Amino acid sequence: LAKTTQPISMDSYEGQEVNITCSHNNIATNDYITWYQQFPSQGPRFIIQGYKTKVTNEVASLFIPADRKSSTLSLPRVSLSDTAVYYCLVLTGGGNKLTFGTGTQLKVEL
Amino acid sequence: EPEVTQTPSHQVTQMGQEVILRCVPISNHLYFYWYRQILGQKVEFLVSFYNNEISEKSEIFDDQFSVERPDGSNFTLKIRSTKLEDSAMYFCASSGTGISYEQYFGPGTRLTVT
């Protein structure tokens, strides 16, 4: 199981782009990178997943360099409602348990 | 959009009592999970369930815990004799097949053991 490291917290302002970087130095060939978001007193919510290069959806972009030892979640033009904890996870195979770390607490202010 | 539902939203029970937490996963999903989150701590995996049997469980999921899919739609977590340290948010999740790691989480049941 690849260990992930991400900042404990980040602060931003509305309208800014936020980039949260996660390192996963011992990622294996078959591993995928996935990000979840959690608001207080709610269950985690899937944001995005990727294997290499760049993935974009309506919520975020995920950048993965060629060596795959890190990944960056990019949130364009954040708003107050993006204040949440963001988790980076590395997974092998579908249908498996999710192992959450402490995540990155993002606080967005006016 | 389909969603996972959980009942009750809040359960208060006395130590030593049995509780059953209920979940209705998304209808065409095949994998089901329970997680818990003690206040201020990480989300912790408890158990995964596939093809009517437990596929994986954590150290937390001891003999006091059991899961069941009694009728093809509900997925339940039973705690036989609750302890104070079982107080937590319990989240049910489900996922489909294939390579996607997207697990859909329910809103949670807050269990308070007094």
Side-chain angles (χ1 to χ4, degrees), chain B:
Chain B
E1 184 178 326
E3 59 182 19
V4 175
T5 59
Q6 290 185 243
T7 54
S9 57
H10 191 189
Q11 172 92 47
V12 181
T13 189
Q14 289 189 326
M15 199 166 50
Q17 295 296 302
E18 175 184 285
V19 294
I20 298 176
L21 309 183
R22 292 182 167 79
C23 167
V24 179
I26 292 172
S27 62
N28 62 346
H29 282 180
L30 299 178
Y31 295 88
F32 313 110
Y33 315 83
W34 284 100
Y35 294 82
R36 79 171 187 190
Q37 187 172 32
I38 295 170
L39 187 64
Q41 297 188 24
K42 295 187 286 189
V43 176
E44 300 174 289
F45 167 78
L46 293 178
V47 66
S48 59
F49 193 85
Y50 171 72
N51 202 26
N52 284 319
E53 61 183 24
I54 291 173
S55 49
E56 188 173 0
K57 59 183 180 180
S58 71
E59 291 179 353
I60 302 167
F61 194 89
D62 61 22
D63 292 344
Q64 292 300 310
F65 291 86
S66 62
V67 290
E68 195 177 33
R69 188 157 163 78
D71 56 14
S73 62
N74 291 284
F75 181 50
T76 62
L77 174 70
K78 182 193 290 187
I79 309 174
R80 288 191 184 81
S81 178
T82 51
K83 309 184 192 70
L84 294 176
E85 54 265 37
D86 292 327
S87 295
M89 278 288 277
Y90 287 80
F91 296 109
C92 173
S94 68
S95 65
T97 58
I99 202 66
S100 173
Y101 303 99
E102 184 169 2
Q103 292 185 18
Y104 291 77
F105 282 76
T109 292
R110 180 171 298 285
L111 177 64
T112 302
V113 182
T114 61

Side-chain angles (χ1 to χ4, degrees), chain A:
Chain A
L1 190 66
K3 184 179 179 333
T4 60
T5 303
Q6 53 184 121
I8 293 173
S9 64
M10 293 182 71
D11 294 330
S12 185
Y13 294 97
E14 275 203 317
Q16 299 289 305
E17 177 184 81
V18 170
N19 296 307
I20 306 174
T21 296
C22 176
S23 68
H24 26 78
N25 290 319
N26 58 341
I27 191 169
T29 304
N30 296 331
D31 289 344
Y32 276 71
I33 298 148
T34 184
W35 286 78
Y36 278 74
Q37 172 194 56
Q38 186 181 26
F39 298 111
S41 297
Q42 293 188 29
R45 185 175 75 102
F46 173 88
I47 301 175
I48 198 165
Q49 73 176 35
Y51 184 80
K52 61 180 180 181
T53 61
K54 178 184 173 183
V55 180
T56 297
N57 62 21
E58 63 277 6
V59 176
S61 294
L62 179 60
F63 298 92
I64 306 167
D67 67 5
R68 303 199 330 119
K69 292 184 185 300
S70 67
S71 60
T72 299
L73 175 73
S74 181
L75 305 171
R77 296 181 301 281
V78 295
S79 64
L80 293 175
S81 62
D82 291 316
T83 293
V85 180
Y86 292 82
Y87 300 98
C88 165
L89 300 95
V90 173
L91 299 168
T92 305
N96 285 341
K97 66 180 181 185
L98 300 177
T99 301
F100 290 86
T102 51
T104 297
Q105 171 67 64
L106 172 66
K107 183 178 177 184
V108 180
E109 300 173 296
L110 286 172

